[in-house]
Amino acid sequence: MPHRYKTVLLFGAPGAGKGTQGKILGKIPGFFHLACGDVFRSLDMTSELGKQFLQYSSRGELVPDELTIEMWSQNMHAQTVLSLYKPKEDLLVLDGIPRNVAQAKALEKYINVLKVIHLVCPDEDAMVHRMRRRALKENRIDDADEKVIRRRFEVYRLETQPVLDHYPKALITEVSAIGSPAAVLQHVLEVVVPVQDSHFRNPL
Ligand code: AMP
């Protein structure tokens, strides 16, 4: 399908800086970043979809797949109509979706996955430390408790590993999440810039 969106998927454990990296990438011409959680949070919470989102997210659960894919595809369509995302010029950077194999399969109709970036931190203690510091700074009570953080890692592993296994190994690049946002960005760019270069015609 030639019109599928050319896409890079961002995966990363809690605290790996996925949100930060995605946001920075989205500011660079030629990249369009979309975080599924942000789209859900921007819904009108009095609408039917908004209410459904609140119902699931407040329990820490995923929104059902069909609803998620429907919401996501409508949002993508709107972004293209508004010319905020230009599929012929921009590499799509997705984060927070797909969250399971069913979503990965449903997305195949819409996206052509050129690369999967997995932000990894071999040192879980360092990540816990980073998250607790962030929790104190940003007043995020969910991340202030170490037990809760460790549980989120477990959930992430259970949730993400099957999704990663769904994609060919050759597509997946592990990038170390250790270091400053700029240092991590440097490694992320080493992976995504060649993808952008080889799939889009860039002006001289
Ligand atoms: P996040 O900001 O990615 O942690 O997402 C916040 C909440 O939005 C999640 O707890 C889910 O309820 C919902 N959500 C975000 N992305 C998805 C997705 N791909 N599938 C289902 N629910 C999602």
Side-chain angles (χ1 to χ4, degrees):
M1 264 186 287
H3 53 273
R4 289 187 305 165
Y5 307 137
K6 293 172 183 167
T7 305
V8 167
L9 302 179
L10 260 184
F11 286 97
K18 181 169 59 76
T20 305
Q21 296 299 322
K23 281 196 189 82
I24 304 173
L25 278 181
K27 294 216 163 71
I28 305 174
F31 293 87
F32 182 82
H33 169 246
L34 193 97
C36 194
D38 288 348
V39 179
F40 273 128
R41 276 184 290 275
S42 70
L43 290 172
D44 171 2
M45 293 306 160
T46 62
S47 70
E48 202 37 54
L49 194 53
K51 281 188 204 152
Q52 296 241 34
F53 164 66
L54 278 183
Q55 194 191 321
Y56 290 100
S57 62
S58 61
R59 295 198 297 251
E61 288 172 17
L62 291 182
V63 177
D65 296 338
E66 207 176 312
L67 208 64
T68 300
I69 299 295
E70 179 65 19
M71 189 272 322
W72 177 87
S73 59
Q74 282 185 17
N75 189 281
M76 286 306 303
H77 180 67
Q79 305 277 359
T80 56
V81 169
L82 295 170
S83 237
L84 295 168
Y85 166 52
K86 304 182 189 72
K88 287 200 180 120
E89 295 171 26
D90 301 331
L91 181 60
L92 179 62
V93 179
L94 287 184
D95 94 55
I97 191 168
R99 286 284 242 274
N100 55 38
V101 175
Q103 289 186 6
K105 287 186 177 159
L107 283 177
E108 272 160 24
K109 201 165 98 187
Y110 303 98
I111 63 175
N112 176 10
V113 179
L114 302 172
K115 194 70 165 155
V116 177
I117 292 190
H118 190 200
L119 289 174
V120 291
C121 179
D123 183 351
E124 197 173 294
D125 289 339
M127 207 73 113
V128 171
H129 179 72
R130 187 196 273 190
M131 286 175 78
R132 294 192 73 186
R133 212 180 41 202
R134 180 178 76 177
L136 293 175
K137 224 165 80 184
E138 296 176 7
N139 222 353
R140 290 176 59 153
I141 30 172
D142 56 336
D143 284 343
D145 181 341
E146 183 167 336
K147 269 208 298 271
V148 176
I149 299 177
R150 301 256 181 214
R151 171 74 191 137
R152 284 185 57 193
F153 278 116
E154 206 180 309
V155 169
Y156 173 77
R157 272 193 291 269
L158 288 173
E159 201 182 68
T160 309
Q161 199 53 51
V163 187
L164 285 174
D165 291 342
H166 174 75
Y167 293 101
K169 278 210 166 45
L171 281 191
I172 303 171
T173 303
E174 290 198 346
V175 172
S176 169
I178 297 172
S180 64
V184 177
L185 178 67
Q186 188 174 13
H187 297 305
V188 170
L189 288 175
E190 279 163 16
V191 182
V192 295
V193 171
V195 177
Q196 216 276 346
D197 277 349
S198 63
H199 286 87
F200 296 89
R201 208 176 320 131
N202 288 303
L204 289 174

